[in-house]
Amino acid sequence: MTPSRSRGRSGSAPGAPLRTGSLRTRTVVAVTALLAVLLLALALTVQALVGDRLRAQVVERLGDRAAAAAALVGTVDDDDLADRLSAQGVSVVVTSPDGGAVTAGPSPDDLRAGPGADPLGELPGPAGGPRDSGSATGGTTGSGGTTPPDPTSTEPTSGDATVSVTSSSVVDDGDLIRYEAVLSDGTELALTAGTSSIDDTLATLRGVLLGASAAFLLLAAGALVLVVRRTLRPLERMTAVARSISGGDRGRRLRPTRPTTELGRTAAAFDEMLDDLERAEGAALAAEARLRSFVSDAAHELRTPVAGIQAAADTLVRAQLDDDERERLTVHVVRESLRAGRLIGDMLLMARLDEGLALAPRPLDVAEVARGAAERQRVRGGDVAVEVVTSGPVPPVSGDLDRLGQVVGNLLDNAVRHARSSVRVSVASRGVVDTAEVVVRVDDDGRGVDDADRERVFDRLVRLDEARARGDGGSGLGLPIARAIARAHGGDVVCLPRAAGGGADPGLGGARFELRLPAAARSATARSATQSAAAQSSSAQTETPLHAHPTWHGGAERNRPE
């Protein structure tokens, strides 16, 4: 028991319950989470790009200072040069060609430990303090003071050869950016700037992005609730329609305006399901009605012979009768018991036809089968003449002799019952070799069958004249049995319209029934296809599948157009 419960929870068991969480909540949460992930990725990307750009600017500024130092070499001493380069918190180490080193500004450890000045700011005057303004080449100001050359200028200040930066390298360890340059006169510069100001800028940017993202997510979640509610409104309508239908309004449908969309396909499938259910319900009700009618008709059919048997038996037991009267009642009991037995046999046969019937097919000459049935009919006697006519060569069929004899006998007996004076059985073939079929047509000179009743006569226990006496032994099952057996052979039994007998074969003017059987070359294939199609038809009709049943019971009574 425990493993089955586990499978049910995991959704693998056939009866696992459907997970029915709120679709609106799922959609809002999923979209909001997706937006949050996208915003986070955007914030990280912006922060990385801005950080890289700020570090690149620091490197550019340090490179500018190295170029300015190259312009000042030879015009100022190393101490003054170092002081000028160390403005805004830059650590400077100037190594002269003779090996002497001068340092200025905070040490690298100080830059790493705490915040310093902005390394991106403009370079101030020498010695880190304000300088007198004036000419960069030693010109005088209004007060007569001398202004040192601008360290950002690359112009030479003397007639000496211009000093330039011959090589440079950058080292970035995350907290410090170290720019090392070698000048053409052999002087080496080491400029180090801290990144604390960059980290402060990125922290501020991070806070702005997070706050803006949070506000955006709140607005987006509120908007999503409204949008999803409107989007899911068709599903709510589906629910309302389903509840209305379950309440008895079977005719309601969704009828989507755009059946190609997701909701449209769902609504169309919903309508198709409702149509199928409505048809199934109608078929079930019709089958139930047919079953009740069958039971009622069967009870009515049995009541007459059983009542006759009871009355005759009671008279035989209680009354003092002479020999003639006793013989007459005895014959009546036998005749009515035989009639009841035939009816019960036919009913049992129809029940077995619904389950399936085994056949023993072999090559048969249908003309011989027809002549045998006609001979049996003549033996019974009567005023109706039976004629068998064969037109041209008739190919053999693959069939069960007893079953096909039963079919022809049922058709012939039905015709004799309603003929005035004559019945004709015609046997012929039609079609080419691959589609050849053998046709047995039974005509009578009775009043015939109306077009509206040509299919109805194949229903069970149907009599077209309900007021007619039923003492002739007919049970209304002969034609359904004949059609079922014929379809088991891959053929069919049909009732032709009266106009079908025109031309060279006008018929006898009455009912015309036709047995159609495939020739032996294609009988097996046709019978297999017919049985497969019959398996899908209604079990309440005679076109039921006849697959496998070992015995054959029941008489040959049939429906008849009365």
Side-chain angles (χ1 to χ4, degrees):
M1 297 301 294
T2 302
S4 64
R5 287 197 297 269
S6 300
R7 289 194 298 269
R9 286 192 297 270
S10 63
S12 60
L18 177 65
R19 297 181 181 273
T20 55
S22 173
L23 185 58
R24 182 183 294 111
T25 302
R26 288 183 180 183
T27 304
V28 172
V29 171
V31 175
T32 303
L34 178 60
L35 288 176
V37 172
L38 293 177
L39 289 175
L40 179 60
L42 177 62
L44 294 177
T45 302
V46 170
Q47 184 175 343
L49 293 177
V50 171
D52 291 342
R53 182 54 186 162
L54 291 177
R55 290 178 181 274
Q57 290 181 358
V58 171
V59 174
E60 291 175 1
R61 290 293 183 180
L62 294 178
D64 291 341
R65 296 195 180 204
L72 293 175
V73 170
T75 61
V76 297
D77 57 21
D78 290 346
D79 291 333
D80 192 11
L81 179 61
D83 288 339
R84 291 187 181 215
L85 297 177
S86 64
Q88 283 81 38
V90 176
S91 176
V92 179
V93 177
V94 179
T95 304
S96 61
D98 58 4
V102 177
T103 62
S107 66
D109 292 337
D110 294 337
L111 294 177
R112 193 186 301 274
D118 184 6
L120 302 180
E122 295 294 333
L123 189 64
R131 303 289 182 179
D132 294 331
S133 61
S135 173
T137 59
T140 59
T141 66
S143 60
T146 301
T147 303
D150 186 355
T152 61
S153 174
T154 59
E155 294 295 329
T157 58
S158 67
D160 298 336
T162 303
V163 179
S164 62
V165 178
T166 59
S167 63
S168 64
S169 62
V170 178
V171 177
D172 187 350
D173 64 359
D175 294 330
L176 300 176
I177 298 177
R178 181 180 178 85
Y179 185 93
E180 297 178 350
V182 178
L183 304 183
S184 58
D185 68 342
T187 303
E188 297 179 0
L189 302 177
L191 308 178
T192 305
T195 60
S196 58
S197 60
I198 297 177
D199 295 337
D200 294 341
T201 302
L202 294 178
T204 302
L205 178 62
R206 188 183 306 114
V208 172
L209 290 175
L210 291 177
S213 299
F216 176 79
L217 286 176
L218 290 177
L219 293 176
L224 278 173
V225 171
L226 299 178
V227 172
V228 171
R229 181 178 301 171
R230 183 176 181 85
T231 303
L232 297 181
R233 191 170 297 169
L235 293 179
E236 296 177 356
R237 185 185 172 192
M238 291 183 189
T239 303
V241 170
R243 289 176 177 173
S244 175
I245 292 173
S246 64
D249 189 3
R250 298 290 193 269
R252 290 200 60 183
R253 296 294 184 271
L254 293 173
R255 296 182 179 86
T257 57
R258 298 176 62 187
T260 57
T261 63
E262 293 81 0
L263 287 175
R265 290 194 296 269
T266 302
F270 185 79
D271 286 348
E272 293 172 0
M273 179 190 67
L274 293 178
D275 292 339
D276 293 341
L277 289 176
E278 190 172 6
R279 285 192 292 268
E281 183 181 22
L285 293 176
E288 183 180 0
R290 288 194 298 269
L291 178 61
R292 291 178 179 176
S293 176
F294 179 81
V295 173
S296 177
D297 290 343
H300 183 73
E301 292 284 350
L302 288 172
R303 182 176 61 183
T304 300
V306 171
I309 292 173
Q310 288 178 340
D314 185 70
T315 302
L316 287 173
V317 171
R318 296 179 182 276
Q320 296 293 329
L321 304 175
D322 56 24
D323 292 341
D324 293 339
E325 184 66 17
R326 182 176 295 277
E327 183 179 359
R328 184 184 68 81
L329 291 177
T330 302
V331 171
H332 178 74
V333 170
V334 173
R335 184 173 59 250
E336 292 300 314
S337 63
L338 290 175
R339 178 185 173 189
R342 286 194 299 270
L343 177 60
I344 294 173
D346 284 350
M347 293 173 64
L348 290 174
L349 174 59
M350 290 307 303
R352 292 188 174 105
L353 288 174
D354 290 342
E355 297 176 1
L357 183 67
L359 298 175
R362 62 185 179 87
L364 296 176
D365 184 354
V366 178
E368 289 296 329
V369 175
R371 283 190 283 268
E375 183 63 26
R376 287 191 295 271
Q377 186 63 43
R378 296 190 190 101
V379 171
R380 296 178 187 174
D383 299 331
V384 178
V386 179
E387 178 187 11
V388 179
V389 179
T390 302
S391 301
V394 179
V397 300
S398 178
D400 189 300
L401 177 61
D402 294 337
R403 305 299 183 257
L404 291 182
Q406 184 73 29
V407 174
V408 177
N410 283 7
L411 296 177
L412 187 57
D413 190 33
N414 182 77
V416 168
R417 288 178 183 277
H418 302 93
R420 294 185 179 92
S421 60
S422 63
V423 172
R424 183 172 64 192
V425 180
S426 304
V427 182
S429 65
R430 61 189 176 198
V432 296
V433 176
D434 293 337
T435 60
E437 65 178 2
V438 178
V439 178
V440 180
R441 182 178 298 172
V442 179
D443 297 271
D444 64 62
D445 59 354
R447 67 181 184 87
V449 180
D450 296 334
D451 289 343
D453 296 323
R454 287 192 297 111
E455 281 299 318
R456 183 167 172 260
V457 295
F458 292 101
D459 291 340
R460 303 176 185 184
L461 294 175
V462 168
R463 296 179 183 228
L464 299 184
D465 186 2
E466 298 295 342
R468 188 180 185 278
R470 303 185 178 222
D472 60 356
S475 63
L477 293 175
L479 291 179
I481 291 174
R483 170 173 275 188
I485 296 174
R487 289 183 173 179
H489 284 80
D492 202 358
V493 174
V494 297
C495 180
L496 299 177
R498 297 182 183 181
D505 185 13
L508 301 180
R512 308 193 76 185
F513 288 88
E514 190 173 88
L515 167 63
R516 302 168 181 171
L517 296 171
R522 64 186 189 93
S523 294
T525 302
R527 180 168 59 251
S528 177
T530 302
Q531 291 178 350
S532 177
Q536 302 177 8
S537 63
S538 171
S539 62
Q541 302 298 324
T542 58
E543 49 266 39
T544 51
L546 308 179
H547 303 307
H549 197 280
T551 59
W552 168 274
H553 293 282
E557 302 305 324
R558 72 285 308 151
N559 294 22
R560 44 196 197 287
E562 300 179 296

